Amino acid sequence: MALAGLGLTAALAVSGCSANYWPDFSPEPEVTAEGSAPEQTGLAPVPVTEAQTQTIIDRVAAAAAKGDESLSVDELTSRFKGDALAQRTANYKIRSEVPEYGSVPAKITNEMLGYRLVQSTEVWPRTMFVTVASEAGTDADGNATDAPSLALILTQRAPQVDFRVSRVISLRGGLDMPKAAPAEEGTALLSDDIESLVLKPADVGASYAAILQGGAEVPEAAPFDLTDDPLLDHYGKAWAADAKAKSDAEEKTQKYSVSVAQGEEPIVSFSTGAGGALIATTVVESQVVDSDGGRYKPQAEGAVSALSGLTGQQDKIVRNVAHQLLFFVPNKEDGSKIQLLGVTSELVGAGK
């Protein structure tokens, strides 16, 4: 079984941001130092102005452009970390060895789209949420790729240290971002075990992982709005079922299974300041193809070979797909369900 086409980035149409829900920013003074904070009064200072944010995004976009052009991770390390870095690291490695690989990360631009949440704090680390436009590119066949709006999660770990992007999430088209307080008012990062939301942040990724693995009928699906979910038809349980059906049609005896679990990158939960929270998390899906003792063995080739070093027939092949996810989780009293606002999926590992 040639395992092609299963690690495609989930490019999810253009712009989930409605102007009706963008914060109304007031003009900010021009600044030059990325790490410095404006002098403010009040209990919850906002340490990053809109002008500073633009400078940071300019530098992130420049680093991403250099890396995407040269397929060199070295261009990224000062501005990327965590799952955002892992995504591009794996993608660059695959495309360096398999030029025809069709999964290309969305091109990050420095065009901010107006939806911005900044953690109010006087200490470090400092985290913010910024939406930016992406630029349409071309795949290996010369076809135009989608240009979704992107949500970036950025953190500054210490004074005078660069903000780095930990997640890059493609926003779903046709969905409005939740109403949020103006960025100059700042927002809070919520603890993983806060209980005022429909689900605790610590449980959101794990519950969605259970849905991917077991399907929309599992008990964990109850608090989620799964209407037109972009992953359920192609990943998790659906992937295993589709792969087995194709194998059975060819009278092969291969066995397919999948497991999905919360990733290791920390969960980031922003209060919107207007009810509910934006929660960014990652789940990792392990797709397993096993010869099951038969003579039909899975083939290690293409992207799998690039990431694993394996070639040819194997008794078993495991592919690891990371799904970077953004949810809106309402307050309990709101009465509405959790909504998946965006996702970026990428093959990040393979082995046996």
Side-chain angles (χ1 to χ4, degrees):
M1 173 68 73
L3 302 176
L6 299 179
L8 298 181
T9 300
L12 299 169
V14 177
S15 187
C17 298
S18 167
N20 293 330
Y21 294 106
W22 293 347
D24 181 16
F25 298 120
S26 59
E28 298 283 2
E30 191 69 27
V31 296
T32 56
E34 175 178 320
S36 62
E39 182 178 351
Q40 297 189 18
T41 61
L43 296 177
V46 180
V48 186
T49 68
E50 185 176 7
Q52 286 175 310
T53 302
Q54 183 64 69
T55 298
I56 294 165
I57 296 302
D58 288 345
R59 294 170 182 173
V60 166
K66 290 179 181 178
D68 291 350
E69 177 67 24
S70 64
L71 300 183
S72 171
V73 176
D74 292 342
E75 301 288 354
L76 302 180
T77 52
S78 67
R79 290 289 169 177
F80 286 74
K81 68 169 192 168
D83 293 328
L85 182 60
Q87 175 205 358
R88 276 177 156 75
T89 297
N91 186 270
Y92 291 177
K93 183 171 179 59
I94 295 169
R95 289 165 58 210
S96 293
E97 299 186 26
V98 187
E100 66 274 18
Y101 187 61
S103 178
V104 179
K107 294 184 177 181
I108 300 170
T109 76
N110 65 347
E111 180 188 349
M112 294 201 301
L113 297 179
Y115 195 100
R116 182 170 63 103
L117 296 173
V118 182
Q119 180 188 6
S120 299
T121 181
E122 294 179 301
V123 297
W124 282 265
R126 296 172 171 181
T127 302
M128 59 182 177
F129 175 102
V130 183
T131 55
V132 301
S134 69
E135 179 183 327
T138 56
D139 61 20
D141 297 323
N143 300 314
T145 57
D146 290 330
S149 300
L150 303 175
L152 308 183
I153 311 298
L154 306 101
T155 300
Q156 184 186 39
R157 302 302 304 178
Q160 306 306 320
V161 173
D162 292 336
F163 272 86
R164 294 199 290 168
V165 181
S166 61
R167 288 189 175 94
V168 178
I169 301 172
S170 297
L171 297 173
R172 296 174 63 185
L175 297 181
D176 289 329
M177 294 293 286
K179 187 174 181 179
E184 62 267 22
E185 293 182 8
T187 191
L189 289 187
L190 304 178
S191 67
D192 290 349
D193 59 357
I194 189 171
E195 296 188 353
S196 61
L197 303 174
V198 171
L199 272 184
K200 293 187 293 186
D203 295 337
V204 173
S207 295
Y208 191 79
I211 297 169
L212 269 185
Q213 182 170 322
E217 300 77 20
V218 300
E220 290 87 349
F224 289 82
D225 179 358
L226 300 177
T227 304
D228 298 324
D229 185 284
L231 296 185
L232 291 185
D233 289 340
H234 304 289
Y235 289 96
K237 181 181 179 181
W239 169 83
D242 290 347
K244 185 179 187 305
K246 292 176 183 177
S247 179
D248 289 349
E250 297 174 0
E251 298 183 347
K252 296 180 179 179
T253 58
Q254 294 178 143
K255 181 180 178 181
Y256 299 85
S257 61
V258 65
S259 61
V260 191
Q262 176 75 50
E264 295 181 358
E265 184 70 15
I267 301 162
V268 180
S269 304
F270 291 92
S271 169
T272 64
L278 290 176
I279 295 180
T281 188
T282 302
V283 300
V284 179
E285 173 177 339
S286 296
Q287 303 172 342
V288 182
V289 185
D290 195 316
S291 64
D292 200 26
R295 65 188 183 91
Y296 295 102
K297 299 181 183 295
Q299 293 278 348
E301 57 187 10
V304 168
S305 293
L307 293 179
S308 68
L310 302 173
T311 57
Q313 293 185 345
Q314 306 292 325
D315 290 329
K316 181 174 74 172
I317 289 177
V318 181
R319 297 163 48 93
N320 298 316
V321 179
H323 303 289
Q324 298 177 69
L325 306 166
L326 177 67
F327 295 95
F328 174 64
V329 181
N331 291 326
K332 286 180 177 179
E333 62 270 19
D334 183 86
S336 57
K337 293 192 172 185
I338 298 169
Q339 192 171 39
L340 178 62
L341 298 178
V343 56
T344 293
S345 299
E346 185 70 62
L347 179 67
V348 295
K352 61 179 182 179

